[in-house]
Coordinates of all heavy atoms in Angstrom, one line a residue:
M297 N 0.8 -1.2 0.0 CA 0.0 0.0 0.0 C 0.9 1.2 0.0 O 1.8 1.3 0.8 CB -0.9 0.0 1.3 CG -2.1 0.8 1.2 SD -3.1 0.7 2.7 CE -3.2 2.4 3.2
P298 N 0.6 2.2 -0.9 CA 1.4 3.4 -0.9 C 1.2 4.3 0.3 O 0.1 4.4 0.9 CB 0.9 4.2 -2.1 CG -0.5 3.6 -2.4 CD -0.5 2.3 -1.9
V299 N 2.4 4.8 0.8 CA 2.3 5.6 2.0 C 2.9 7.0 1.7 O 3.9 7.0 1.0 CB 3.2 4.9 3.2 CG1 3.2 5.8 4.4 CG2 2.6 3.6 3.5
P300 N 2.3 8.1 2.2 CA 2.8 9.4 1.9 C 4.2 9.6 2.4 O 4.4 9.2 3.6 CB 1.8 10.4 2.5 CG 0.9 9.5 3.3 CD 1.0 8.1 2.9
K301 N 5.1 10.2 1.6 CA 6.5 10.3 2.1 C 6.6 11.5 3.0 O 7.3 11.5 4.0 CB 7.3 10.5 0.8 CG 8.8 10.4 1.1 CD 9.6 10.3 -0.2 CE 11.0 9.9 0.0 NZ 11.8 9.8 -1.2
Q302 N 5.9 12.6 2.6 CA 6.0 13.8 3.4 C 4.6 14.3 3.8 O 3.6 14.2 3.0 CB 6.7 14.9 2.7 CG 8.2 14.8 3.1 CD 9.0 15.8 2.3 OE1 8.6 16.2 1.2 NE2 10.1 16.3 2.9
R303 N 4.5 15.0 4.9 CA 3.3 15.5 5.4 C 2.9 16.8 4.6 O 3.8 17.6 4.3 CB 3.5 15.9 6.9 CG 2.4 16.8 7.5 CD 2.8 17.0 8.9 NE 1.8 17.9 9.5 CZ 1.8 19.2 9.4 NH1 2.8 19.8 8.7 NH2 0.9 20.0 10.0
H304 N 1.6 16.9 4.2 CA 1.2 18.1 3.5 C 0.9 19.2 4.5 O 0.4 19.0 5.5 CB -0.1 17.8 2.7 CG 0.1 17.1 1.4 ND1 -0.9 16.6 0.6 CD2 1.3 16.7 0.8 CE1 -0.4 16.0 -0.4 NE2 0.9 16.0 -0.3
T305 N 1.3 20.4 4.1 CA 1.1 21.6 5.0 C -0.4 21.9 5.1 O -1.2 21.5 4.2 CB 1.9 22.8 4.5 OG1 1.4 23.1 3.2 CG2 3.4 22.5 4.5
K306 N -0.7 22.8 6.1 CA -2.1 23.3 6.2 C -2.4 24.0 4.9 O -3.6 23.9 4.4 CB -2.2 24.2 7.3 CG -2.2 23.6 8.7 CD -2.2 24.7 9.7 CE -1.9 24.2 11.1 NZ -1.7 25.3 12.1
S307 N -1.5 24.8 4.4 CA -1.7 25.5 3.2 C -2.0 24.6 2.0 O -3.0 24.9 1.3 CB -0.4 26.3 2.9 OG -0.5 26.8 1.6
K308 N -1.3 23.6 1.8 CA -1.5 22.6 0.7 C -2.9 22.0 0.9 O -3.7 22.0 -0.1 CB -0.5 21.5 0.8 CG -0.6 20.4 -0.2 CD 0.0 20.7 -1.5 CE -0.2 19.6 -2.5 NZ 0.2 20.0 -3.8
R309 N -3.2 21.6 2.1 CA -4.5 21.0 2.4 C -5.7 22.0 2.1 O -6.6 21.7 1.4 CB -4.6 20.6 3.9 CG -5.9 20.0 4.3 CD -6.1 20.1 5.8 NE -6.2 21.4 6.2 CZ -6.0 21.9 7.5 NH1 -5.7 21.0 8.4 NH2 -6.1 23.1 7.8
N310 N -5.5 23.2 2.6 CA -6.6 24.2 2.4 C -6.7 24.6 0.9 O -7.9 24.8 0.5 CB -6.2 25.5 3.2 CG -6.4 25.2 4.7 OD1 -6.9 24.2 5.1 ND2 -5.8 26.1 5.5
R311 N -5.6 24.6 0.2 CA -5.7 24.9 -1.3 C -6.5 23.8 -2.0 O -7.3 24.1 -2.8 CB -4.3 25.1 -1.9 CG -3.8 26.5 -1.9 CD -2.5 26.6 -2.5 NE -1.4 26.1 -1.7 CZ -0.4 25.4 -2.1 NH1 -0.2 25.2 -3.4 NH2 0.5 24.9 -1.2
R312 N -6.2 22.6 -1.6 CA -7.0 21.4 -2.1 C -8.5 21.6 -1.9 O -9.3 21.4 -2.7 CB -6.5 20.1 -1.6 CG -7.2 18.9 -2.2 CD -6.7 17.6 -1.7 NE -6.9 17.4 -0.2 CZ -5.9 17.2 0.7 NH1 -4.6 17.2 0.3 NH2 -6.2 17.1 1.9
R313 N -8.8 22.0 -0.6 CA -10.2 22.0 -0.2 C -10.9 23.3 -0.7 O -12.1 23.5 -0.4 CB -10.3 21.9 1.3 CG -9.9 20.6 1.8 CD -10.0 20.5 3.3 NE -9.5 19.2 3.8 CZ -9.4 18.9 5.1 NH1 -9.7 19.8 6.0 NH2 -8.9 17.7 5.4
S314 N -10.2 24.2 -1.3 CA -10.8 25.5 -1.7 C -11.8 25.2 -2.8 O -12.7 26.1 -3.1 CB -9.7 26.4 -2.3 OG -9.2 26.0 -3.5
H315 N -11.8 24.1 -3.4 CA -12.8 23.8 -4.5 C -14.0 22.9 -3.9 O -14.8 22.5 -4.7 CB -12.2 23.0 -5.6 CG -11.0 23.8 -6.2 ND1 -11.2 24.8 -7.1 CD2 -9.7 23.6 -6.1 CE1 -10.0 25.3 -7.5 NE2 -9.1 24.6 -6.9
H316 N -14.0 22.7 -2.6 CA -15.0 21.7 -2.1 C -16.3 22.4 -1.7 O -17.3 21.7 -1.3 CB -14.5 21.0 -0.9 CG -13.4 20.0 -1.2 ND1 -12.9 19.1 -0.3 CD2 -12.8 19.8 -2.4 CE1 -12.0 18.4 -0.9 NE2 -11.9 18.7 -2.2
A317 N -16.4 23.7 -1.8 CA -17.7 24.4 -1.4 C -18.9 23.9 -2.2 O -18.7 23.7 -3.4 CB -17.5 25.9 -1.5
L318 N -20.0 23.8 -1.6 CA -21.2 23.5 -2.3 C -21.8 24.7 -2.9 O -21.8 25.8 -2.4 CB -22.3 22.9 -1.3 CG -21.9 21.6 -0.6 CD1 -22.9 21.2 0.4 CD2 -21.7 20.5 -1.6
K319 N -22.4 24.5 -4.1 CA -23.0 25.6 -4.9 C -24.5 25.6 -4.4 O -25.1 24.6 -4.1 CB -22.9 25.3 -6.4 CG -21.6 25.9 -7.0 CD -21.7 25.7 -8.5 CE -20.3 25.9 -9.1 NZ -20.2 25.5 -10.4
K320 N -25.0 26.8 -4.5 CA -26.4 27.0 -4.2 C -27.3 26.4 -5.3 O -27.0 26.6 -6.5 CB -26.7 28.5 -4.1 CG -28.0 28.8 -3.3 CD -28.2 30.3 -3.2 CE -29.6 30.6 -2.7 NZ -29.9 32.0 -2.8
Q321 N -28.3 25.6 -4.9 CA -29.2 25.0 -5.8 C -30.1 26.1 -6.5 O -30.5 27.0 -5.8 CB -30.2 24.0 -5.1 CG -29.5 22.7 -4.9 CD -29.5 21.8 -6.1 OE1 -29.7 22.3 -7.2 NE2 -29.2 20.5 -6.0
N322 N -30.3 26.0 -7.8 CA -31.2 26.9 -8.5 C -32.6 26.4 -8.4 O -33.0 25.4 -9.0 CB -30.8 27.0 -9.9 CG -31.5 28.1 -10.7 OD1 -32.0 29.0 -10.0 ND2 -31.7 27.9 -12.0
I323 N -33.4 27.1 -7.5 CA -34.8 26.6 -7.3 C -35.8 27.6 -7.9 O -35.7 28.8 -7.7 CB -35.0 26.4 -5.8 CG1 -34.1 25.3 -5.2 CG2 -36.5 26.1 -5.5 CD1 -34.2 25.2 -3.8
I324 N -36.7 27.0 -8.6 CA -37.8 27.9 -9.2 C -39.1 27.5 -8.6 O -39.3 26.4 -8.0 CB -37.8 27.8 -10.8 CG1 -38.0 26.3 -11.2 CG2 -36.6 28.4 -11.4 CD1 -38.3 26.1 -12.6
A325 N -40.2 28.3 -8.9 CA -41.5 28.0 -8.4 C -42.2 27.2 -9.5 O -42.1 27.6 -10.7 CB -42.2 29.3 -8.1
C326 N -42.9 26.2 -9.1 CA -43.7 25.4 -10.1 C -44.8 26.3 -10.7 O -45.5 27.0 -10.0 CB -44.4 24.2 -9.4 SG -45.6 23.4 -10.4
P327 N -44.8 26.4 -12.0 CA -45.8 27.3 -12.7 C -47.3 26.8 -12.5 O -48.2 27.6 -12.6 CB -45.4 27.2 -14.2 CG -44.6 26.0 -14.3 CD -43.9 25.7 -13.0
N328 N -47.5 25.6 -12.1 CA -48.8 25.1 -11.9 C -49.3 25.3 -10.4 O -50.4 25.8 -10.2 CB -48.9 23.6 -12.2 CG -50.3 23.1 -12.1 OD1 -51.2 23.6 -12.7 ND2 -50.5 22.0 -11.3
C329 N -48.4 25.0 -9.4 CA -48.9 25.1 -8.0 C -48.1 26.0 -7.2 O -48.4 26.4 -6.1 CB -48.9 23.7 -7.4 SG -47.2 23.0 -7.1
G330 N -46.9 26.5 -7.7 CA -46.1 27.5 -7.0 C -45.2 27.0 -6.0 O -44.5 27.8 -5.3
Q331 N -45.1 25.7 -5.8 CA -44.2 25.1 -4.9 C -42.8 25.1 -5.5 O -42.6 25.1 -6.7 CB -44.6 23.6 -4.6 CG -45.9 23.4 -3.9 CD -45.8 23.9 -2.4 OE1 -45.0 23.4 -1.6 NE2 -46.6 24.9 -2.1
P332 N -41.8 25.2 -4.6 CA -40.4 25.2 -5.1 C -40.0 23.9 -5.7 O -40.2 22.8 -5.1 CB -39.5 25.5 -3.9 CG -40.4 25.2 -2.7 CD -41.8 25.4 -3.1
V333 N -39.4 24.0 -6.9 CA -39.0 22.8 -7.6 C -37.6 23.0 -8.3 O -37.3 24.2 -8.6 CB -40.0 22.3 -8.7 CG1 -41.2 21.6 -8.1 CG2 -40.4 23.4 -9.6
L334 N -36.9 21.9 -8.6 CA -35.7 22.1 -9.4 C -36.0 22.2 -10.8 O -37.0 21.6 -11.3 CB -34.8 20.8 -9.2 CG -34.3 20.6 -7.8 CD1 -33.7 19.2 -7.7 CD2 -33.3 21.6 -7.3
P335 N -35.2 23.0 -11.6 CA -35.5 23.2 -13.0 C -35.3 21.9 -13.8 O -34.5 21.1 -13.4 CB -34.5 24.2 -13.5 CG -33.5 24.4 -12.4 CD -34.1 23.9 -11.1
H336 N -36.1 21.6 -14.8 CA -36.1 20.4 -15.6 C -36.4 19.2 -14.9 O -36.1 18.1 -15.3 CB -34.7 20.3 -16.3 CG -34.2 21.5 -17.0 ND1 -34.8 22.0 -18.1 CD2 -33.2 22.4 -16.7 CE1 -34.1 23.1 -18.5 NE2 -33.2 23.3 -17.6
R337 N -37.2 19.3 -13.8 CA -37.7 18.2 -13.0 C -39.2 18.4 -12.9 O -39.7 19.5 -12.9 CB -37.1 18.0 -11.6 CG -35.7 18.0 -11.5 CD -35.0 16.8 -12.1 NE -33.7 17.3 -12.6 CZ -32.6 17.4 -11.9 NH1 -32.6 17.1 -10.7 NH2 -31.6 17.9 -12.5
L338 N -39.9 17.2 -12.8 CA -41.3 17.4 -12.6 C -41.6 17.8 -11.2 O -40.7 17.6 -10.3 CB -42.1 16.1 -12.9 CG -42.0 14.9 -12.0 CD1 -43.1 14.9 -11.0 CD2 -42.0 13.6 -12.8
C339 N -42.7 18.4 -10.9 CA -43.1 18.9 -9.6 C -43.6 17.7 -8.8 O -44.5 17.0 -9.2 CB -44.1 19.9 -9.7 SG -44.8 20.5 -8.1
G340 N -43.0 17.4 -7.6 CA -43.4 16.3 -6.8 C -44.7 16.6 -6.1 O -45.3 15.6 -5.6
N341 N -45.1 17.8 -6.0 CA -46.3 18.2 -5.3 C -47.5 18.0 -6.1 O -48.5 17.4 -5.7 CB -46.2 19.6 -4.8 CG -47.4 20.0 -4.0 OD1 -47.7 19.4 -3.0 ND2 -48.1 21.1 -4.4
C342 N -47.5 18.4 -7.4 CA -48.7 18.3 -8.2 C -48.5 17.3 -9.4 O -49.4 17.0 -10.1 CB -49.1 19.7 -8.7 SG -47.9 20.5 -9.8
G343 N -47.2 16.9 -9.7 CA -47.0 15.9 -10.7 C -47.0 16.5 -12.1 O -47.1 15.8 -13.1
F344 N -46.9 17.8 -12.2 CA -46.9 18.5 -13.5 C -45.4 18.7 -14.1 O -44.5 18.9 -13.3 CB -47.6 19.9 -13.5 CG -49.0 19.8 -13.8 CD1 -49.9 19.1 -12.9 CD2 -49.6 20.4 -14.9 CE1 -51.2 19.0 -13.1 CE2 -50.9 20.3 -15.2 CZ -51.8 19.6 -14.3
Y345 N -45.3 18.6 -15.4 CA -44.0 19.0 -16.0 C -44.4 19.5 -17.4 O -45.1 19.0 -18.1 CB -43.1 17.8 -16.1 CG -41.8 18.2 -16.7 CD1 -40.9 19.0 -16.1 CD2 -41.4 17.7 -18.0 CE1 -39.7 19.4 -16.6 CE2 -40.2 18.1 -18.6 CZ -39.3 18.9 -17.9 OH -38.1 19.2 -18.5
K346 N -43.8 20.7 -17.8 CA -44.0 21.3 -19.0 C -45.5 21.5 -19.3 O -46.0 21.2 -20.4 CB -43.4 20.5 -20.2 CG -41.9 20.8 -20.4 CD -41.4 20.2 -21.7 CE -40.0 20.7 -22.0 NZ -39.5 20.2 -23.2
G347 N -46.3 21.9 -18.3 CA -47.7 22.3 -18.4 C -48.6 21.1 -18.6 O -49.8 21.3 -18.9
R348 N -48.1 19.9 -18.4 CA -49.1 18.8 -18.4 C -48.8 17.8 -17.2 O -47.7 17.8 -16.7 CB -49.0 18.0 -19.7 CG -47.7 17.3 -20.0 CD -47.6 16.8 -21.4 NE -46.4 16.1 -21.6 CZ -46.2 14.8 -21.4 NH1 -47.2 14.0 -21.0 NH2 -45.0 14.3 -21.6
Q349 N -49.9 17.0 -16.9 CA -49.7 16.1 -15.8 C -48.9 14.9 -16.2 O -49.2 14.2 -17.2 CB -51.1 15.6 -15.3 CG -51.0 14.8 -14.1 CD -52.0 15.3 -13.0 OE1 -53.0 15.8 -13.2 NE2 -51.5 15.2 -11.7
V350 N -47.8 14.6 -15.5 CA -46.9 13.5 -15.9 C -47.2 12.3 -15.0 O -47.2 11.1 -15.4 CB -45.5 13.9 -15.8 CG1 -44.6 12.8 -16.3 CG2 -45.2 15.1 -16.7
I351 N -47.3 12.5 -13.7 CA -47.6 11.4 -12.7 C -48.9 11.8 -12.0 O -49.2 13.0 -11.8 CB -46.5 11.1 -11.8 CG1 -46.1 12.4 -11.0 CG2 -45.3 10.5 -12.5 CD1 -45.3 12.1 -9.8
D352 N -49.6 10.8 -11.5 CA -50.8 11.0 -10.7 C -50.4 11.0 -9.2 O -50.2 9.9 -8.7 CB -51.9 9.9 -11.0 CG -53.2 10.2 -10.3 OD1 -53.3 11.3 -9.8 OD2 -54.1 9.3 -10.4
V353 N -50.4 12.2 -8.6 CA -49.9 12.2 -7.2 C -51.0 11.7 -6.3 O -50.8 11.5 -5.1 CB -49.5 13.7 -6.8 CG1 -48.2 14.1 -7.5 CG2 -50.6 14.7 -7.2
L354 N -52.3 11.6 -6.8 CA -53.3 11.2 -5.9 C -53.5 9.6 -5.9 O -54.2 9.1 -5.1 CB -54.7 11.8 -6.3 CG -54.7 13.3 -6.4 CD1 -56.0 13.8 -7.0 CD2 -54.6 13.9 -5.0
A355 N -52.8 9.0 -6.8 CA -53.0 7.5 -7.0 C -52.8 6.7 -5.7 O -53.5 5.8 -5.5 CB -52.1 7.0 -8.1
K356 N -51.7 7.0 -5.0 CA -51.3 6.2 -3.9 C -52.0 6.6 -2.6 O -51.9 5.9 -1.6 CB -49.8 6.3 -3.7 CG -49.0 5.3 -4.6 CD -47.6 5.3 -4.2 CE -46.8 4.4 -5.1 NZ -45.4 4.4 -4.9
L357 N -52.8 7.7 -2.6 CA -53.4 8.2 -1.3 C -54.7 7.5 -1.1 O -55.4 7.0 -2.0 CB -53.6 9.7 -1.5 CG -52.4 10.6 -1.6 CD1 -52.8 12.0 -1.8 CD2 -51.5 10.5 -0.4
E358 N -55.1 7.5 0.2 CA -56.4 6.9 0.6 C -57.4 8.0 0.4 O -57.1 9.2 0.2 CB -56.3 6.4 2.0 CG -55.5 5.2 2.2 CD -55.3 4.8 3.7 OE1 -56.1 5.2 4.5 OE2 -54.3 4.1 4.0
K359 N -58.7 7.6 0.5 CA -59.8 8.5 0.2 C -59.8 9.8 0.9 O -59.9 10.9 0.3 CB -61.2 7.8 0.5 CG -61.7 7.0 -0.7 CD -63.1 6.6 -0.5 CE -63.6 5.8 -1.7 NZ -65.0 5.3 -1.4
K360 N -59.6 9.8 2.2 CA -59.6 11.0 3.0 C -58.4 11.9 2.6 O -58.6 13.1 2.3 CB -59.4 10.7 4.5 CG -60.6 11.0 5.3 CD -60.3 10.8 6.8 CE -61.5 11.0 7.7 NZ -61.2 10.8 9.1
Q361 N -57.2 11.3 2.5 CA -56.0 12.0 2.1 C -56.2 12.6 0.7 O -55.8 13.7 0.4 CB -54.8 11.1 2.1 CG -54.4 10.7 3.5 CD -53.3 9.7 3.5 OE1 -53.3 8.8 2.8 NE2 -52.3 9.9 4.4
K362 N -56.9 11.9 -0.2 CA -57.1 12.3 -1.6 C -57.9 13.6 -1.6 O -57.5 14.6 -2.2 CB -57.9 11.3 -2.3 CG -57.1 10.6 -3.5 CD -58.0 9.7 -4.3 CE -57.2 8.6 -4.9 NZ -58.0 7.6 -5.7
K363 N -59.0 13.6 -0.8 CA -59.8 14.8 -0.8 C -59.0 16.0 -0.3 O -59.1 17.1 -0.9 CB -61.0 14.6 0.2 CG -62.2 14.0 -0.6 CD -63.4 14.0 0.3 CE -64.6 13.4 -0.4 NZ -65.8 13.3 0.5
E364 N -58.2 15.8 0.8 CA -57.4 16.9 1.4 C -56.4 17.4 0.3 O -56.3 18.6 0.1 CB -56.7 16.5 2.6 CG -57.6 16.4 3.8 CD -57.0 15.7 5.0 OE1 -55.7 15.5 5.0 OE2 -57.7 15.3 5.9
K365 N -55.8 16.5 -0.3 CA -54.7 16.8 -1.3 C -55.4 17.6 -2.5 O -54.8 18.6 -3.0 CB -54.0 15.5 -1.8 CG -52.9 15.8 -2.8 CD -51.6 16.2 -2.0 CE -50.5 16.4 -3.0 NZ -49.3 16.9 -2.4
E366 N -56.5 17.1 -2.9 CA -57.2 17.8 -4.0 C -57.5 19.3 -3.7 O -57.3 20.2 -4.5 CB -58.5 17.1 -4.4 CG -58.3 15.9 -5.4 CD -59.6 15.1 -5.6 OE1 -60.6 15.4 -4.9 OE2 -59.5 14.1 -6.4
K367 N -58.0 19.5 -2.5 CA -58.3 20.8 -2.0 C -57.0 21.7 -2.0 O -57.0 22.8 -2.5 CB -58.8 20.8 -0.5 CG -60.3 20.9 -0.4 CD -60.7 21.1 1.1 CE -62.1 20.9 1.3 NZ -62.4 20.9 2.8
E368 N -56.0 21.1 -1.4 CA -54.7 21.8 -1.3 C -54.2 22.2 -2.7 O -53.8 23.4 -2.9 CB -53.7 20.8 -0.7 CG -52.6 21.4 0.1 CD -51.6 20.4 0.7 OE1 -52.1 19.6 1.5 OE2 -50.5 20.3 0.2
L369 N -54.2 21.3 -3.7 CA -53.8 21.5 -5.0 C -54.6 22.7 -5.7 O -54.0 23.5 -6.3 CB -53.8 20.3 -5.9 CG -52.7 19.2 -5.6 CD1 -52.9 18.0 -6.4 CD2 -51.3 19.8 -5.8
A370 N -55.9 22.6 -5.5 CA -56.8 23.6 -6.1 C -56.4 25.0 -5.5 O -56.3 26.0 -6.3 CB -58.2 23.3 -5.8
E371 N -56.2 25.1 -4.2 CA -55.8 26.4 -3.6 C -54.5 26.9 -4.2 O -54.3 28.0 -4.5 CB -55.6 26.2 -2.1 CG -56.9 26.3 -1.3 CD -56.8 26.0 0.2 OE1 -55.6 26.2 0.7 OE2 -57.7 25.6 0.8
Q372 N -53.5 25.9 -4.2 CA -52.2 26.3 -4.7 C -52.2 26.8 -6.2 O -51.6 27.8 -6.5 CB -51.2 25.2 -4.6 CG -50.8 24.9 -3.1 CD -50.1 23.6 -3.0 OE1 -50.1 22.8 -3.9 NE2 -49.5 23.4 -1.8
Q373 N -53.1 26.1 -7.0 CA -53.2 26.5 -8.4 C -53.7 27.9 -8.5 O -53.3 28.7 -9.3 CB -54.1 25.5 -9.1 CG -53.3 24.4 -9.7 CD -54.2 23.4 -10.5 OE1 -55.3 23.8 -10.9 NE2 -53.8 22.2 -10.7
E374 N -54.8 28.2 -7.7 CA -55.4 29.5 -7.7 C -54.3 30.6 -7.4 O -54.2 31.6 -8.1 CB -56.5 29.6 -6.7 CG -57.9 29.1 -7.3 CD -58.9 29.1 -6.3 OE1 -58.9 30.0 -5.4 OE2 -59.8 28.3 -6.4
Q375 N -53.6 30.3 -6.3 CA -52.6 31.3 -5.9 C -51.5 31.5 -7.0 O -51.2 32.6 -7.3 CB -51.9 30.7 -4.6 CG -52.7 31.0 -3.4 CD -52.0 30.4 -2.1 OE1 -50.9 29.9 -2.2 NE2 -52.6 30.6 -1.0
A376 N -51.1 30.4 -7.6 CA -50.0 30.5 -8.6 C -50.6 31.3 -9.8 O -49.9 32.1 -10.4 CB -49.6 29.1 -9.1
Q377 N -51.9 31.1 -10.2 CA -52.4 31.8 -11.3 C -52.6 33.3 -11.0 O -52.3 34.1 -11.8 CB -53.8 31.2 -11.7 CG -53.6 29.9 -12.5 CD -54.9 29.2 -12.7 OE1 -56.0 29.6 -12.2 NE2 -54.9 28.0 -13.3
S378 N -53.0 33.6 -9.8 CA -53.1 35.0 -9.4 C -51.8 35.7 -9.4 O -51.7 36.8 -9.8 CB -53.8 35.1 -8.0 OG -53.0 34.6 -7.0
L379 N -50.7 35.0 -9.0 CA -49.4 35.5 -9.0 C -49.0 35.8 -10.5 O -48.4 36.8 -10.8 CB -48.4 34.5 -8.4 CG -48.3 34.6 -6.9 CD1 -47.3 33.5 -6.4 CD2 -47.8 35.9 -6.4
D380 N -49.3 34.9 -11.4 CA -49.0 35.0 -12.8 C -49.7 36.3 -13.3 O -49.0 37.1 -14.1 CB -49.5 33.8 -13.6 CG -48.5 32.7 -13.6 OD1 -47.4 32.9 -13.1 OD2 -48.8 31.6 -14.2
M381 N -50.9 36.5 -13.0 CA -51.7 37.6 -13.5 C -51.0 38.9 -13.0 O -50.9 39.9 -13.8 CB -53.1 37.6 -12.9 CG -54.0 36.4 -13.5 SD -54.4 36.6 -15.2 CE -55.8 37.7 -15.0
K382 N -50.6 38.9 -11.7 CA -49.9 40.1 -11.2 C -48.7 40.4 -12.0 O -48.4 41.6 -12.3 CB -49.6 39.9 -9.7 CG -50.7 40.2 -8.8 CD -50.2 40.0 -7.3 CE -51.4 40.0 -6.4 NZ -51.1 39.6 -5.1
E383 N -47.9 39.4 -12.3 CA -46.6 39.6 -13.0 C -46.9 40.1 -14.4 O -46.2 40.9 -14.9 CB -45.8 38.3 -13.1 CG -45.0 38.1 -11.8 CD -44.3 36.7 -11.8 OE1 -44.1 36.1 -12.8 OE2 -44.1 36.2 -10.6
M384 N -48.0 39.5 -15.0 CA -48.3 39.9 -16.4 C -48.7 41.4 -16.4 O -48.2 42.2 -17.3 CB -49.6 39.2 -16.9 CG -49.3 37.7 -17.1 SD -48.7 37.4 -18.7 CE -50.2 37.2 -19.6
S385 N -49.4 41.9 -15.4 CA -49.8 43.3 -15.4 C -48.6 44.2 -15.1 O -48.6 45.3 -15.6 CB -50.9 43.5 -14.3 OG -50.5 43.1 -13.0
K386 N -47.7 43.7 -14.3 CA -46.4 44.4 -14.0 C -45.7 44.7 -15.3 O -45.1 45.7 -15.6 CB -45.5 43.7 -13.0 CG -45.7 44.1 -11.6 CD -44.7 43.4 -10.7 CE -45.2 43.3 -9.3 NZ -44.3 42.5 -8.5
G387 N -45.6 43.6 -16.1 CA -44.8 43.6 -17.3 C -45.3 44.6 -18.4 O -44.5 45.3 -19.1
S388 N -46.6 44.8 -18.5 CA -47.1 45.6 -19.6 C -47.2 47.1 -19.2 O -46.8 47.5 -18.1 CB -48.5 45.2 -20.0 OG -49.4 45.2 -18.8
Ligands
LIG544 ZN1 -46.4 21.8 -8.9

């Protein structure tokens, strides 16, 4: 097994680690429900990607949970749409 011949200085070690910092994730709001999502990924909250439903987020839920989730999604959609309208009026 190879063994280091000489000890690296703090300076050498710190210079090596200068590239180890984590970058900030680029997070956007889902255009359908407004929840934070990663770009180019489908939204885990509502299952939408590129303006269409890709997965059924209600499929695995039980009846009670389904109703609650449906309500939640409807509210979020309304909020997201109202935000869109505000931004549209700002732009013009
Ligand atoms: Zn969404």
Side-chain angles (χ1 to χ4, degrees):
M297 202 179 123
V299 177
K301 195 169 190 179
Q302 266 178 332
R303 169 181 177 276
H304 283 175
T305 61
K306 288 177 193 172
S307 166
K308 176 88 180 168
R309 179 200 65 198
N310 291 345
R311 269 182 283 144
R312 181 179 64 239
R313 292 183 186 171
S314 72
H315 302 285
H316 289 188
L318 294 175
K319 274 185 191 166
K320 200 178 167 192
Q321 281 281 12
N322 186 26
I323 294 173
I324 55 168
C326 170
N328 184 53
C329 70
Q331 292 292 299
V333 287
L334 295 171
H336 310 291
R337 305 295 142 83
L338 73 92
C339 174
N341 182 56
C342 64
F344 269 67
Y345 182 68
K346 279 193 168 178
R348 66 190 179 90
Q349 186 128 36
V350 181
I351 56 165
D352 187 7
V353 287
L354 302 173
K356 278 188 179 176
L357 298 176
E358 287 173 26
K359 270 191 181 176
K360 249 189 183 177
Q361 289 173 317
K362 247 186 207 179
K363 271 190 181 173
E364 284 170 15
K365 183 79 178 173
E366 274 171 358
K367 258 190 196 173
E368 208 182 292
L369 285 176
E371 275 174 26
Q372 286 169 347
Q373 271 183 20
E374 274 175 31
Q375 280 179 0
Q377 280 168 5
S378 65
L379 278 177
D380 274 355
M381 293 290 275
K382 274 180 194 171
E383 276 174 27
M384 292 275 274
S385 58
K386 265 184 201 170
S388 59

